[in-house]
Amino acid sequence: MKRILLCFLSVLLVFSVTSCNYVSSYKALMFVREERGDHGSISFSYLEGTYVMKLRMSGKGQEGSIQCTASLDEGEMNVYYDSLGVKEFLFNLKAGESIDERRGYFESGRTVYIIIETVTPAKEGKVEIDLRK
């Protein structure tokens, strides 16, 4: 009985370590966020740390891309995405830069995590993400 319990706990531990659980941990000022289905956005006066969006496009078996629109007045941030259990680079944004293009691919029906990480504290920024077929 002890062996069965030990095996079960070992499998549970391995599963919990390999699952995709991203956690937001940030300091912000004037922070506005919106997440609904296949769209997510944030705008802020000040952001430091990591913010995670959890998005999902309805449907099954169709491939889609990620429409990224972002701007930043000061600081630097990296944006990643994960739809298959692997964190992949999406784009980097530095002070005074902006971006408006499609990047990254995912399969519809899957959860897509958008991970926004500041390299240096970011000021007066905006990030919009749309999942598109």
Side-chain angles (χ1 to χ4, degrees):
M1 184 65 175
K2 285 184 181 181
R3 286 186 185 187
I4 293 172
L5 182 60
L6 184 61
C7 287
F8 176 74
L9 290 176
S10 297
V11 169
L12 185 62
L13 177 65
V14 168
F15 179 73
S16 66
V17 169
T18 60
S19 64
C20 298
N21 290 322
Y22 296 103
V23 177
S24 293
S25 174
Y26 60 92
K27 292 188 281 185
L29 181 64
M30 300 285 293
F31 186 79
V32 178
R33 65 180 185 197
E34 177 186 4
E35 292 178 39
R36 57 175 168 71
D38 59 357
H39 172 80
S41 68
I42 63 169
S43 59
F44 53 87
S45 181
Y46 175 87
L47 178 66
E48 182 178 3
T50 301
Y51 179 74
V52 180
M53 292 183 205
K54 186 177 178 183
L55 306 176
R56 179 180 220 136
M57 177 171 277
S58 60
K60 293 255 185 219
Q62 296 178 344
E63 233 183 50
S65 61
I66 302 170
Q67 176 68 38
C68 309
T69 306
S71 62
L72 185 63
D73 281 354
E74 294 181 36
E76 182 178 358
M77 68 173 63
N78 291 320
V79 179
Y80 303 89
Y81 78 103
D82 178 351
S83 66
L84 297 172
V86 177
K87 184 176 166 182
E88 297 187 41
F89 182 77
L90 198 55
F91 65 89
N92 171 275
L93 204 58
K94 294 180 181 171
E97 294 181 341
S98 63
I99 185 173
D100 186 7
E101 55 188 64
R102 283 187 175 200
R103 297 185 170 195
Y105 293 95
F106 66 94
E107 185 178 315
S108 58
R110 291 185 153 288
T111 299
V112 178
Y113 295 94
I114 305 295
I115 304 106
I116 301 166
E117 296 179 351
T118 58
V119 177
T120 59
K123 295 182 180 177
E124 301 305 326
K126 181 179 180 179
V127 177
E128 285 189 50
I129 302 293
D130 287 298
L131 305 181
R132 304 226 172 127
K133 292 182 185 176

